[in-house]
Amino acid sequence: MPKQGSEIRERRRVLTRTLPNVPRWARISAHLVPIITLPSGLWRIALVAGLPVDSSGPLLWWEPVYITSLTLVSEGIALLTLGLIQPWGETVPRWIPLLGGRRVAPLAAVIPALLGAAALIAITTYGVLANFGSGPAMGSPAKDWLLVVCYAPLLAWGPLVAAVAVSYYRRRRVQT
């Protein structure tokens, strides 16, 4: 039994350890990404829970599943940014079937990260431009303010991912 506990601790240590050659700014940026996606996710969960965060009325039968799934997928994708600064982003953990122990090709991480960053920049820019000056969206100034406070941090998501991906590429290019 003690061996099993030590294996779990070792696995946790490997998954949460940051590589020593990662610049401090990249480490901070990668850790910010899941944090900046959290407010919008909490806003969506509040909407699903029936809290008065908007004035659109009751949700259709499928909307709670969609909104909750969107929140979970967004946060999961945001957490993947940590792979650009941690060992499991350079070598697949041994416990993953078929791939465990293999090195991650730098472009296999960088290309999806940069494409995702470009998509995030486009989506958030469109969201701002499409809603800029359109008046109250949620029915009251307090609800509008809450929406802006929860969604404004998403504007930094794409640029942060792009910066961390470029740092990852530069670091890995030097290593190989």
Side-chain angles (χ1 to χ4, degrees):
M1 204 56 130
K3 184 178 180 184
Q4 187 179 22
S6 65
E7 287 175 11
I8 291 171
R9 281 191 298 279
E10 175 62 19
R11 186 179 295 172
R12 187 176 299 135
R13 187 187 67 74
V14 167
L15 288 175
T16 59
R17 176 177 87 224
T18 303
L19 295 165
N21 58 346
V22 175
R24 186 171 191 265
W25 68 264
R27 201 174 315 121
I28 292 168
S29 298
H31 282 93
L32 277 175
V33 170
I35 294 168
I36 64 172
T37 60
L38 196 57
S40 61
L42 293 174
W43 187 91
R44 288 189 297 269
I45 297 300
L47 178 67
V48 168
L51 297 175
V53 293
D54 79 341
S55 56
S56 63
L59 298 174
L60 299 174
W61 66 270
W62 56 271
E63 288 178 313
V65 173
Y66 168 74
I67 293 169
T68 303
S69 299
L70 175 63
T71 300
L72 294 173
V73 168
S74 297
E75 200 61 38
I77 289 171
L79 286 167
L80 285 176
T81 306
L82 295 174
L84 297 171
I85 63 159
Q86 294 182 344
W88 56 268
E90 293 187 7
T91 305
V92 180
R94 294 209 174 274
W95 54 268
I96 295 182
L98 304 176
L99 299 175
R102 293 185 184 183
R103 290 192 51 81
V104 175
L107 292 180
V110 172
I111 290 173
L114 291 177
L115 289 174
L120 288 165
I121 291 168
I123 291 166
T124 55
T125 302
Y126 172 78
V128 168
L129 295 176
N131 295 302
F132 184 72
S134 63
M138 296 296 125
S140 76
K143 290 178 183 178
D144 290 343
W145 178 84
L146 179 63
L147 181 72
V148 169
V149 166
C150 289
Y151 276 84
L154 292 181
L155 290 169
W157 189 3
L160 285 173
V161 170
V164 175
V166 169
S167 172
Y168 175 89
Y169 178 73
R170 287 180 178 164
R171 192 177 68 252
R172 294 292 306 277
R173 187 186 67 209
V174 170
Q175 287 177 355
T176 56

